PDB file of all heavy atoms in Angstrom:
ATOM      1  N   LEU R1147     122.361 -38.656   9.576  1.00 96.00           N
ATOM      2  CA  LEU R1147     121.083 -37.835   9.394  1.00 96.00           C
ATOM      3  C   LEU R1147     121.353 -36.325   9.597  1.00 96.00           C
ATOM      4  O   LEU R1147     120.745 -35.536   8.843  1.00 96.00           O
ATOM      5  CB  LEU R1147     120.130 -38.336  10.478  1.00 96.00           C
ATOM      6  CG  LEU R1147     119.524 -39.724  10.135  1.00 96.00           C
ATOM      7  CD1 LEU R1147     118.525 -40.247  11.269  1.00 96.00           C
ATOM      8  CD2 LEU R1147     118.701 -39.641   8.771  1.00 96.00           C
ATOM      9  N   GLU R1148     122.170 -36.012  10.514  1.00 95.00           N
ATOM     10  CA  GLU R1148     122.471 -34.566  10.669  1.00 95.00           C
ATOM     11  C   GLU R1148     123.018 -33.962   9.431  1.00 95.00           C
ATOM     12  O   GLU R1148     122.586 -32.813   8.922  1.00 95.00           O
ATOM     13  CB  GLU R1148     123.502 -34.292  11.796  1.00 95.00           C
ATOM     14  CG  GLU R1148     122.969 -34.500  13.206  1.00 95.00           C
ATOM     15  CD  GLU R1148     124.032 -34.630  14.304  1.00 95.00           C
ATOM     16  OE1 GLU R1148     125.174 -34.241  13.971  1.00 95.00           O
ATOM     17  OE2 GLU R1148     123.638 -35.096  15.416  1.00 95.00           O
ATOM     18  N   LEU R1149     123.975 -34.647   8.807  1.00 95.00           N
ATOM     19  CA  LEU R1149     124.592 -34.167   7.583  1.00 95.00           C
ATOM     20  C   LEU R1149     123.569 -34.082   6.402  1.00 95.00           C
ATOM     21  O   LEU R1149     123.585 -33.118   5.578  1.00 95.00           O
ATOM     22  CB  LEU R1149     125.743 -34.947   7.226  1.00 95.00           C
ATOM     23  CG  LEU R1149     127.020 -34.864   8.186  1.00 95.00           C
ATOM     24  CD1 LEU R1149     128.009 -35.963   8.015  1.00 95.00           C
ATOM     25  CD2 LEU R1149     127.641 -33.553   8.110  1.00 95.00           C
ATOM     26  N   VAL R1150     122.812 -35.059   6.339  1.00 96.00           N
ATOM     27  CA  VAL R1150     121.805 -35.178   5.209  1.00 96.00           C
ATOM     28  C   VAL R1150     120.777 -34.105   5.342  1.00 96.00           C
ATOM     29  O   VAL R1150     120.414 -33.434   4.368  1.00 96.00           O
ATOM     30  CB  VAL R1150     121.158 -36.626   5.172  1.00 96.00           C
ATOM     31  CG1 VAL R1150     120.046 -36.602   4.081  1.00 96.00           C
ATOM     32  CG2 VAL R1150     122.219 -37.658   4.863  1.00 96.00           C
ATOM     33  N   GLU R1151     120.420 -33.842   6.540  1.00 96.00           N
ATOM     34  CA  GLU R1151     119.362 -32.755   6.873  1.00 96.00           C
ATOM     35  C   GLU R1151     119.917 -31.441   6.378  1.00 96.00           C
ATOM     36  O   GLU R1151     119.147 -30.646   5.749  1.00 96.00           O
ATOM     37  CB  GLU R1151     119.015 -32.776   8.295  1.00 96.00           C
ATOM     38  CG  GLU R1151     118.116 -31.639   8.803  1.00 96.00           C
ATOM     39  CD  GLU R1151     116.847 -31.558   7.865  1.00 96.00           C
ATOM     40  OE1 GLU R1151     116.350 -32.625   7.523  1.00 96.00           O
ATOM     41  OE2 GLU R1151     116.297 -30.413   7.663  1.00 96.00           O
ATOM     42  N   LYS R1152     121.188 -31.191   6.694  1.00 95.00           N
ATOM     43  CA  LYS R1152     121.880 -29.970   6.213  1.00 95.00           C
ATOM     44  C   LYS R1152     121.798 -29.868   4.669  1.00 95.00           C
ATOM     45  O   LYS R1152     121.529 -28.845   4.136  1.00 95.00           O
ATOM     46  CB  LYS R1152     123.290 -30.001   6.613  1.00 95.00           C
ATOM     47  CG  LYS R1152     123.775 -28.752   7.387  1.00 95.00           C
ATOM     48  CD  LYS R1152     125.101 -28.965   8.031  1.00 95.00           C
ATOM     49  CE  LYS R1152     126.049 -27.882   7.763  1.00 95.00           C
ATOM     50  NZ  LYS R1152     127.411 -28.145   8.289  1.00 95.00           N
ATOM     51  N   THR R1153     122.153 -30.927   3.982  1.00 94.00           N
ATOM     52  CA  THR R1153     122.140 -30.975   2.499  1.00 94.00           C
ATOM     53  C   THR R1153     120.712 -30.765   2.066  1.00 94.00           C
ATOM     54  O   THR R1153     120.415 -30.052   1.073  1.00 94.00           O
ATOM     55  CB  THR R1153     122.670 -32.294   1.971  1.00 94.00           C
ATOM     56  OG1 THR R1153     123.874 -32.612   2.583  1.00 94.00           O
ATOM     57  CG2 THR R1153     122.681 -32.384   0.498  1.00 94.00           C
ATOM     58  N   ARG R1154     119.693 -31.397   2.710  1.00 95.00           N
ATOM     59  CA  ARG R1154     118.355 -31.208   2.305  1.00 95.00           C
ATOM     60  C   ARG R1154     117.947 -29.771   2.268  1.00 95.00           C
ATOM     61  O   ARG R1154     117.415 -29.282   1.254  1.00 95.00           O
ATOM     62  CB  ARG R1154     117.357 -32.005   3.338  1.00 95.00           C
ATOM     63  CG  ARG R1154     115.875 -32.016   2.819  1.00 95.00           C
ATOM     64  CD  ARG R1154     114.920 -32.180   3.949  1.00 95.00           C
ATOM     65  NE  ARG R1154     115.023 -31.006   4.949  1.00 95.00           N
ATOM     66  CZ  ARG R1154     114.614 -29.816   4.756  1.00 95.00           C
ATOM     67  NH1 ARG R1154     113.942 -29.494   3.538  1.00 95.00           N
ATOM     68  NH2 ARG R1154     114.678 -28.887   5.638  1.00 95.00           N
ATOM     69  N   ALA R1155     118.295 -29.046   3.261  1.00 94.00           N
ATOM     70  CA  ALA R1155     117.939 -27.632   3.344  1.00 94.00           C
ATOM     71  C   ALA R1155     118.700 -26.808   2.170  1.00 94.00           C
ATOM     72  O   ALA R1155     118.009 -25.963   1.594  1.00 94.00           O
ATOM     73  CB  ALA R1155     118.377 -27.088   4.814  1.00 94.00           C
ATOM     74  N   GLU R1156     119.903 -27.188   1.990  1.00 92.00           N
ATOM     75  CA  GLU R1156     120.704 -26.540   1.078  1.00 92.00           C
ATOM     76  C   GLU R1156     120.159 -26.668  -0.408  1.00 92.00           C
ATOM     77  O   GLU R1156     120.089 -25.760  -1.249  1.00 92.00           O
ATOM     78  CB  GLU R1156     122.202 -27.027   0.975  1.00 92.00           C
ATOM     79  CG  GLU R1156     123.078 -26.425   2.110  1.00 92.00           C
ATOM     80  CD  GLU R1156     124.328 -27.194   2.295  1.00 92.00           C
ATOM     81  OE1 GLU R1156     124.800 -27.841   1.301  1.00 92.00           O
ATOM     82  OE2 GLU R1156     124.900 -27.096   3.348  1.00 92.00           O
ATOM     83  N   VAL R1157     119.811 -27.960  -0.723  1.00 91.00           N
ATOM     84  CA  VAL R1157     119.401 -28.246  -2.131  1.00 91.00           C
ATOM     85  C   VAL R1157     117.917 -28.067  -2.306  1.00 91.00           C
ATOM     86  O   VAL R1157     117.370 -28.197  -3.389  1.00 91.00           O
ATOM     87  CB  VAL R1157     119.873 -29.669  -2.568  1.00 91.00           C
ATOM     88  CG1 VAL R1157     121.391 -29.732  -2.471  1.00 91.00           C
ATOM     89  CG2 VAL R1157     119.157 -30.688  -1.845  1.00 91.00           C
ATOM     90  N   GLY R1158     117.223 -27.833  -1.234  1.00 91.00           N
ATOM     91  CA  GLY R1158     115.807 -27.689  -1.319  1.00 91.00           C
ATOM     92  C   GLY R1158     115.077 -28.986  -1.609  1.00 91.00           C
ATOM     93  O   GLY R1158     114.045 -28.956  -2.269  1.00 91.00           O
ATOM     94  N   ALA R1159     115.495 -30.068  -0.919  1.00 93.00           N
ATOM     95  CA  ALA R1159     114.733 -31.371  -1.089  1.00 93.00           C
ATOM     96  C   ALA R1159     113.573 -31.405  -0.143  1.00 93.00           C
ATOM     97  O   ALA R1159     113.454 -30.497   0.780  1.00 93.00           O
ATOM     98  CB  ALA R1159     115.719 -32.535  -0.848  1.00 93.00           C
ATOM     99  N   LYS R1160     112.709 -32.367  -0.292  1.00 94.00           N
ATOM    100  CA  LYS R1160     111.511 -32.420   0.456  1.00 94.00           C
ATOM    101  C   LYS R1160     111.552 -32.896   1.829  1.00 94.00           C
ATOM    102  O   LYS R1160     111.270 -32.174   2.799  1.00 94.00           O
ATOM    103  CB  LYS R1160     110.404 -33.264  -0.335  1.00 94.00           C
ATOM    104  CG  LYS R1160     109.023 -32.919   0.038  1.00 94.00           C
ATOM    105  CD  LYS R1160     108.008 -33.663  -0.793  1.00 94.00           C
ATOM    106  CE  LYS R1160     106.727 -34.069  -0.122  1.00 94.00           C
ATOM    107  NZ  LYS R1160     106.152 -35.285  -0.662  1.00 94.00           N
ATOM    108  N   GLU R1161     112.072 -34.113   2.006  1.00 95.00           N
ATOM    109  CA  GLU R1161     112.249 -34.654   3.411  1.00 95.00           C
ATOM    110  C   GLU R1161     113.288 -35.818   3.430  1.00 95.00           C
ATOM    111  O   GLU R1161     113.760 -36.311   2.425  1.00 95.00           O
ATOM    112  CB  GLU R1161     110.861 -35.264   3.849  1.00 95.00           C
ATOM    113  CG  GLU R1161     110.353 -36.283   2.853  1.00 95.00           C
ATOM    114  CD  GLU R1161     108.993 -36.916   3.313  1.00 95.00           C
ATOM    115  OE1 GLU R1161     108.663 -36.755   4.496  1.00 95.00           O
ATOM    116  OE2 GLU R1161     108.337 -37.545   2.557  1.00 95.00           O
ATOM    117  N   VAL R1162     113.683 -36.119   4.669  1.00 96.00           N
ATOM    118  CA  VAL R1162     114.598 -37.221   4.909  1.00 96.00           C
ATOM    119  C   VAL R1162     113.919 -38.321   5.700  1.00 96.00           C
ATOM    120  O   VAL R1162     113.316 -38.045   6.710  1.00 96.00           O
ATOM    121  CB  VAL R1162     115.831 -36.669   5.726  1.00 96.00           C
ATOM    122  CG1 VAL R1162     116.831 -37.829   5.949  1.00 96.00           C
ATOM    123  CG2 VAL R1162     116.543 -35.476   4.948  1.00 96.00           C
TER     124      VAL R1162
END
Side-chain angles (χ1 to χ4, degrees):
Chain R
L1147 285 174
E1148 284 168 17
L1149 294 167
V1150 173
E1151 175 53 36
K1152 235 170 129 184
T1153 306
R1154 188 206 60 74
E1156 279 167 24
V1157 302
K1160 197 170 151 211
E1161 58 180 340
V1162 179

